[in-house]
Amino acid sequence: MTLTIYNTLTRDKKPFEPIAAGTVRMYCCGVTVYDYCHLGHARSYIVWDTVRRYLQWRGYQVQYVQNFTDIDDKIIRRSQEEGLPWQEITRKYIDAYQEDMGRLNILPADAYPKATDVMPQIIELIKTLIDQGYAYPVDGDVYYAVERFPAYGKLSGRKLEQMEAGASERLETEAVAKKRHPLDFALWKAAKPGEPEWDSPWGKGRPGWHIECSAMVREWLGDRIDIHSGGEDLVFPHHENEIAQSEAALSQPLANVWMHNGFVKIRGDKMSKSLKNFTTIRSLLETTDPMVVRLFVLQAHYRSPIDFTEDAIAAAENGWNTLKEALKYRVNFEQLPGWPEIDTLEQASVDRFNAAMDDDFNTPIAMAVLFELAKDLRRAGNVLVHTGQSDLSVEQLQQKWQTLLRLSQVLGLEISSLSEPELTDASTNGNIMAGLSDAEIEALIQQRQEARKAKNFAEGDRIRNELQAQGITLIDQPGGETRWHRH
């Protein structure tokens, strides 16, 4: 099987070939840290986390870098509104981002560079573009000359002459007067009174938005990378401008593959602050399990739009409950005689999972493999609870459970990432749960056995129900032995 990926630049799926065998250098455009992250951010970073996890699962060493934009008009405006230094604003929302992503079980990036970390590199890159005739300074600003880059528009599929129509109407008169072309974009902005500023050959100022990513990619990952990713909204102008900057300066492609995830819609409308249908991650997680959010995202292909509705979240919640229940069945299964302590997988399921993910990370098809495994385990678990026996061998049960566990982890769906107290490692027998002690449970089980011997089945059922109400499941074994576990 060969991994194929849809490339936004070429508009087709092609086999993935890393620049260096066995290694993937991947850059993901991060957030501008002036506010809390929303559901659109959750989708994007869950998607790229899953891509990264799958590449690692397939044996690649992944170097994953994701930036923070920590100087920007929105940050300056928020600083002025709250009367706080811009550094405090960015620190606050970087911390909030890390907290939100941690709850969604998103792996930390190998590096989180900030725009202000690479000011010397940004200035050097702008100087190179000026020297090569791709940029020009005007009154302390520096602009990129889009007409000097013939391939401008190749990522978005837009033609320069089509984009030019009406562009001047969207710009300030002062900015239009400075530019040679309406679509020329700022690489460096002259400082205004009271704004953060840095020294440069063109005077005090700060970088434009697009140049920071070109500088950070080069500084952390090199001149050319394997995968550049981000939301669909970044195709134009941000990623288009990154290509123009980096490829003009370095005379080679910036990235071999460009990947973009689709939008999140709220009941059919694109999620946006202007429509007042904006949902932050932290407000959503007040009522929704993080793994439900993750499953909601993965039940759609990453390039397709996804509609956030009550029904969609309810379906995702049912799906997660199914997987979670199956994952927790190990507590039942490992008590069977001969449970093997080995790490073997059901190869047929792994092959079908890999085939789905190799087809441009088709998570909906890959999820179907997980649900099939969960269905088999659930059926076997129900038989075991009611009869004390299993219709599958312990080797089959172990393989199915281990396969479900490992493939779920590839998608970032893990019980261990939750805060529910009952979801502890099965080997601990759940002893962190408050309530009856082990000795008290054993005493009640003994009372139940004595009641059953005396044919007082009503008393035996009462004790079983009492234990069940406190999260204790009894499993009657052949020969009269009763085993138990906490939920």
Side-chain angles (χ1 to χ4, degrees), residues 18-200:
I19 297 167
T23 299
V24 177
R25 288 178 292 173
M26 182 174 178
Y27 182 87
C28 177
C29 278
V31 293
T32 301
V33 282
Y34 75 100
D35 205 346
Y36 293 114
C37 290
H38 53 65
L39 184 56
H41 295 128
R43 184 188 192 185
S44 189
Y45 299 123
I46 288 171
V47 163
W48 307 128
D49 178 66
T50 303
V51 168
R52 177 192 185 186
R53 286 171 181 265
Y54 184 69
L55 290 170
Q56 291 173 330
W57 163 254
R58 296 295 269 158
Y60 290 103
Q61 179 183 352
V62 182
Q63 300 172 13
Y64 183 85
V65 174
Q66 183 178 314
N67 76 301
F68 288 120
T69 296
D70 66 337
I71 189 65
D72 174 89
D73 290 341
K74 295 174 182 177
I75 293 170
I76 294 171
R77 193 156 50 243
R78 179 58 62 91
S79 170
Q80 294 168 345
E81 291 170 355
E82 297 192 13
L84 295 171
W86 63 271
Q87 297 94 329
E88 289 190 27
I89 296 294
T90 59
R91 189 181 306 115
K92 171 183 175 180
Y93 291 112
I94 287 174
D95 290 345
Y97 170 90
Q98 300 288 18
E99 179 184 341
D100 290 344
M101 298 304 138
R103 293 184 67 190
L104 291 170
N105 198 28
I106 291 171
L107 298 173
D110 294 314
Y112 288 104
K114 301 189 292 290
T116 55
D117 291 337
V118 291
M119 211 57 70
Q121 293 88 338
I122 287 173
I123 291 170
E124 191 61 34
L125 184 55
I126 295 173
K127 286 169 63 177
T128 298
L129 290 169
I130 292 173
D131 292 344
Q132 295 181 353
Y134 290 99
Y136 56 94
V138 183
D139 299 333
D141 295 332
V142 180
Y143 291 98
Y144 185 95
V146 294
E147 289 181 300
R148 289 281 293 116
F149 189 69
Y152 191 76
K154 66 179 180 178
L155 182 69
S156 61
R158 306 183 185 197
K159 301 294 184 182
L160 193 59
E161 57 271 19
Q162 296 171 338
M163 291 187 280
E164 182 179 0
S168 298
E169 299 174 6
R170 299 192 299 271
L171 301 170
E172 298 175 3
T173 303
E174 182 181 356
V176 171
K178 289 182 177 182
K179 295 183 178 186
R180 297 175 184 173
H181 188 280
L183 289 175
D184 289 353
F185 56 89
L187 301 174
W188 189 261
K189 298 181 178 182
K192 296 178 181 179
E195 289 187 349
E197 59 184 28
W198 286 262
D199 290 327
S200 81

Side-chain angles (χ1 to χ4, degrees), residues 327-332 334 401 423-430:
L327 287 167
K328 289 166 63 178
Y329 269 130
R330 175 176 176 171
V331 182
N332 293 4
E334 69 177 357
W401 184 87
L423 301 181
T424 57
D425 190 321
S427 65
T428 67
N429 207 25

Side-chain angles (χ1 to χ4, degrees), residues 7 60 93 168 180 199 220 263 273 323 375 396 441:
N7 189 344
Y60 290 103
Y93 291 112
S168 298
R180 297 175 184 173
D199 290 327
W220 266 266
F263 290 122
K273 289 184 177 179
L323 294 180
K375 180 180 178 182
Q396 289 175 310
I441 294 169

Side-chain angles (χ1 to χ4, degrees), residues 236-405:
F236 186 88
H238 185 51
H239 288 168
E240 194 77 73
N241 292 349
E242 273 192 71
I243 288 173
Q245 295 162 164
S246 295
E247 297 189 3
L250 303 175
S251 300
Q252 63 176 311
L254 171 58
N256 283 2
V257 179
W258 289 83
M259 298 181 68
H260 297 91
N261 65 273
F263 290 122
V264 173
K265 295 184 177 182
I266 306 292
R267 301 177 187 87
D269 294 322
K270 180 184 172 183
M271 188 182 70
S272 70
K273 289 184 177 179
S274 61
L275 294 175
K276 298 182 180 180
N277 60 1
F278 179 85
T279 301
T280 65
I281 295 172
R282 51 191 46 211
S283 64
L284 178 60
L285 294 185
E286 289 177 0
T287 57
T288 308
D289 190 305
M291 293 299 99
V292 171
V293 177
R294 191 159 183 127
L295 196 149
F296 161 72
V297 167
L298 297 177
Q299 67 188 6
H301 190 273
Y302 77 91
R303 286 191 285 114
S304 301
I306 186 169
D307 202 3
F308 179 76
T309 65
E310 290 83 357
D311 288 345
I313 287 295
E317 185 170 12
N318 288 337
W320 173 238
N321 286 338
T322 297
L323 294 180
K324 184 170 63 173
E325 181 181 0
L327 287 167
K328 289 166 63 178
Y329 269 130
R330 175 176 176 171
V331 182
N332 293 4
F333 298 144
E334 69 177 357
Q335 298 182 46
L336 289 169
W339 176 264
E341 291 300 328
I342 54 177
D343 184 8
T344 59
L345 304 183
E346 189 177 85
Q347 195 58 49
S349 295
V350 171
D351 288 345
R352 287 188 293 119
F353 177 88
N354 287 348
M357 293 296 284
D358 279 347
D359 184 15
D360 194 30
F361 306 99
N362 196 329
T363 54
I365 302 300
M367 289 286 298
V369 177
L370 270 62
F371 285 121
E372 287 179 19
L373 288 165
K375 180 180 178 182
D376 290 345
L377 289 167
R378 185 175 186 174
R379 179 182 52 77
N382 287 336
V383 171
L384 178 62
V385 167
H386 290 98
T387 69
Q389 301 180 41
S390 172
D391 57 347
L392 297 175
S393 71
V394 289
E395 289 80 9
Q396 289 175 310
L397 287 171
Q398 194 274 351
Q399 279 195 340
K400 285 183 180 294
W401 184 87
Q402 195 71 243
T403 304
L404 177 61
L405 175 69

